[in-house]
């Protein structure tokens, strides 16, 4: 969680305000319209990095030709405020050609600074006001390689003045905590290489900890010191640990390719934490899609059955519903009020009611004409969608309401409603 307070409508990091895919205190329309309205669309370069939002600005990390680029855009009209770039040479793994040269990590905003993690594993601290670099760490020479086989994908977090990221490459890496202001290393947890999952911060069993998937494990370390608190093996084919851990009450929910979806509870005895398995659902393993919880239910997209949606009770693991399958390679999930937004890689946005007894979408929209691997980002003006080359703001309001960026849903009285 960022150290600086953020507005309810801000989206300051990977998976939103609390890194769980939930749009805190934000809401969609009371009735989803038959189609969305395109407010603006601008070319921004390639990459899977998600846009982040603070106040009236959007910040995006992308790639143009042989450079990684960070830009600030106005939420109201997509206009550029500033742009900064630096050269990044990167050769793709042959199996990842379709995904491009990144970047794949989403930046984090804290204390007037944007922290980015590039596809080759370098961290930049960038002034939000003007785009100038405050400090940079690239870790060359500290590990055998600075990024894993398919490129750095783990998104950094900020906790209590520390920028925390998993750096290094295959079989040789470290979860590091850097001083926000100087970039100097405050602690380093050296184990196997990084996974492609992103870390979270949690207060569990009396310990504030950073929980993440590494190349071959899921691990919890002390947030202040990096001391290992607990560890479990988590191995997947081709060492592709991708799914961000999810918290539900005192449970840590984890998954991976052909691993199942599992919930663990941490038990403390003296100074030792031991994870105990609470439930395991092997039939809904997750590959790249991280789950969300809405209305007390867990929603996910499994790689099983050639891609299918499911909903289960996060307390017990009991499956409430599943779809038949063949629904795509990947889906990015966001909980928005009483609906779950599911954006698949073919640019289809599916709106799923959180309380439904079955999979019965409220709406389906096409939101781009090229692949969409980033999460949809809810804002005060609508939904931000990053496709292969463009960033687009879509509004669920009719065109005659006025500028989406100036709309205040709490002042709404009798504006026209589209049919469900």
């Amino acid at each position: 969680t960022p150290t600086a307070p953020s507005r309810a409508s801000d989206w300051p990091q990977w998976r939103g305000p609390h890194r769980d895919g939930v749009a805190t205190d934000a809401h969609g329309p009371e009735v989803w319209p038959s189609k969305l309205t395109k407010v603006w669309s601008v070319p921004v370069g390639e990459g899977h990095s998600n846009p982040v939002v603070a106040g009236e600005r959007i910040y995006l990390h992308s790639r143009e030709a042989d450079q990684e680029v960070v830009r600030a855009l106005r939420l109201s009209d997509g206009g550029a405020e500033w742009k900064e770039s630096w050269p990044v040479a990167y050769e793709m793994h042959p199996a990842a050609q379709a995904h491009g040269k990144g970047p794949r990590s989403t930046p984090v905003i804290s204390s007037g600074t944007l922290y980015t993690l590039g596809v080759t594993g370098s961290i930049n601290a960038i002034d939000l006001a003007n785009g100038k670099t405050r400090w940079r760490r690239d870790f060359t020479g500290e590990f055998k390689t600075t990024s894993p086989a398919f490129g750095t994908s783990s998104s950094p977090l900020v906790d209590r003045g520390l920028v925390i990221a998993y750096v290094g490459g295959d079989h040789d890496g470290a979860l590091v905590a850097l001083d926000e202001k100087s970039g100097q290393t405050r602690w380093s947890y050296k184990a196997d290489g990084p996974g492609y999952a992103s870390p979270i911060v949690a207060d569990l069993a009396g310990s504030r900890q950073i929980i993440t998937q590494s190349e071959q494990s899921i691990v919890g370390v002390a947030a202040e010191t990096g001391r290992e608190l607990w560890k479990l093996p988590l191995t997947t084919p081709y060492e592709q640990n991708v799914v961000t851990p999810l918290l539900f009450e005192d449970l840590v929910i984890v998954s991976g390719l052909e691993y199942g979806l599992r919930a663990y509870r941490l038990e403390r005895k003296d100074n030792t934490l031991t994870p105990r398995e609470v439930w395991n659902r092997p039939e809904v393993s997750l590959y790249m899609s991280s789950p969300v919880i809405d209305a007390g239910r867990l929603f996910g997209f499994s790689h099983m059955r050639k891609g299918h949606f499911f909903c289960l009770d996060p307390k017990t693991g009991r499956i409430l519903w599943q779809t038949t399958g063949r629904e795509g390679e990947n889906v990015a999930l966001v909980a928005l009020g009483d609906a779950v937004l599911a954006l698949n890689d073919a640019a289809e946005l599916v709106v799923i009611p959180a309380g439904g007894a079955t999979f019965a979408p409220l709406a389906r929209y096409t939101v781009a004409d090229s692949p969409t691997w980033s999460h949809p980002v809810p804002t005060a003006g609508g939904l931000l969608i990053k496709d292969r080359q463009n960033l687009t703001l879509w509004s669920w309001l009719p065109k005659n309401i006025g500028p989406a960026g100036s709309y205040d849903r709490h002042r709404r009285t009798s504006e026209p409603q589209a049919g469900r």
Side-chain angles (χ1 to χ4, degrees):
T1 304
T3 54
S6 59
R7 306 184 321 166
S9 58
D10 286 352
W11 195 264
Q13 61 181 332
W14 167 246
R15 303 239 300 156
H18 301 292
R19 299 179 77 85
D20 57 3
V22 177
T24 309
D25 297 328
H27 303 273
E30 292 177 7
V31 179
W32 286 89
S34 59
K35 62 180 182 178
L36 300 177
T37 300
K38 183 183 290 189
V39 181
W40 52 257
S41 186
V42 294
V44 291
E46 295 190 339
H48 296 350
S49 179
N50 294 199
V52 291
V53 179
E56 300 304 317
R57 276 186 175 180
I58 305 159
Y59 303 91
L60 187 70
H61 186 198
S62 62
R63 186 180 185 93
E64 294 179 344
D66 61 352
Q67 295 196 318
E68 286 193 0
V69 178
V70 174
R71 48 167 52 84
L73 305 171
R74 292 187 296 273
L75 179 58
S76 59
D77 60 6
E81 292 286 319
W82 52 254
K83 177 180 174 181
E84 188 73 13
S85 63
W86 52 90
V88 176
Y90 180 67
E91 294 299 323
M92 287 185 291
H93 189 287
Q97 292 290 329
H99 287 263
K101 294 186 176 183
R104 316 198 200 290
S105 306
T106 295
V108 57
I109 295 170
S110 180
S111 305
T113 308
L114 184 77
Y115 300 96
T116 67
L117 182 56
V119 73
T120 57
S122 63
I123 300 176
N124 280 40
I126 297 164
D127 192 317
L128 287 186
N130 54 28
K132 301 305 179 185
T133 299
R134 289 178 167 170
W135 54 259
R136 174 184 174 88
R137 292 284 302 273
D138 71 5
F139 304 100
T140 299
E142 296 187 38
F143 306 99
K144 294 174 184 174
T145 59
T146 60
S147 61
F150 302 112
T152 298
S153 300
S154 176
S155 297
L157 66 79
V158 174
D159 183 57
R160 299 182 177 180
L162 299 176
V163 181
I164 297 168
Y166 215 132
V167 297
D170 291 343
H171 315 303
D172 183 27
L175 185 67
V176 298
L178 311 181
D179 184 274
E180 260 201 286
K181 294 179 179 176
S182 68
Q184 296 301 305
T185 301
R186 292 290 173 246
W187 57 253
S188 177
Y189 171 73
K190 188 168 173 50
D192 54 350
Y196 301 92
S198 297
I200 61 169
V201 61
D203 288 297
L204 289 173
S207 295
R208 188 169 183 84
Q209 52 194 281
I210 308 300
I211 302 173
T212 194
Q213 292 190 19
S214 66
E215 190 177 357
Q216 299 179 339
S217 304
I218 178 164
V219 62
V221 306
E224 291 184 1
T225 65
R227 179 177 67 87
E228 183 181 297
L229 300 174
W230 58 274
K231 186 177 185 179
L232 282 170
L234 197 167
T235 56
T236 54
Y238 312 107
E239 296 172 332
Q240 295 187 79
N241 287 356
V242 183
V243 178
T244 299
L246 181 65
L247 301 180
F248 177 73
E249 297 178 352
D250 63 342
L251 299 180
V252 181
I253 299 172
V254 299
S255 191
L257 181 65
E258 299 178 13
Y259 174 83
L261 181 65
R262 310 186 190 192
Y264 292 92
R265 178 174 289 116
L266 301 181
E267 296 180 355
R268 175 177 289 277
K269 185 175 182 181
D270 300 324
N271 288 323
T272 302
L273 290 181
T274 303
R276 304 290 187 194
E277 187 177 287
V278 177
W279 52 259
N280 179 4
R281 301 305 309 218
E283 67 270 46
V284 291
S285 285
L286 308 178
Y287 176 27
M288 290 181 285
S289 178
S290 297
V292 298
I293 291 174
D294 197 1
R297 296 167 154 202
L298 183 147
F299 296 82
F301 184 79
S302 171
H303 68 82
M304 313 294 281
R305 304 181 187 175
K306 297 191 175 181
H308 77 279
F309 291 97
F310 67 90
C311 173
L312 59 73
D313 181 344
K315 290 185 179 180
T316 65
R318 181 174 68 91
I319 292 178
L320 304 176
W321 55 253
Q322 299 182 74
T323 58
T324 55
R326 296 184 179 273
E327 306 214 43
E329 185 177 356
N330 184 65
V331 167
L333 298 168
V334 168
L336 179 65
D338 57 3
V340 174
L341 308 182
L343 178 63
N344 68 25
D345 47 291
E348 182 186 42
L349 180 71
V350 182
V351 182
I352 306 166
T358 62
F359 179 75
L362 300 172
R364 292 177 182 264
Y365 308 106
T366 298
V367 292
D369 55 11
S370 69
T372 45
W373 287 90
S374 300
H375 282 65
V377 172
T379 74
L383 285 176
L384 288 170
I385 302 291
K386 168 70 170 68
D387 62 32
R388 186 189 294 276
Q389 288 279 359
N390 303 298
L391 183 66
T392 303
L393 179 66
W394 293 92
S395 174
W396 46 71
L397 302 174
K399 287 186 177 180
N400 60 358
I401 294 297
S406 63
Y407 178 73
D408 183 348
R409 70 180 303 276
H410 298 292
R411 290 204 300 262
R412 180 169 56 194
T413 53
S414 58
E415 287 92 340
Q417 298 287 325
R420 188 177 293 247

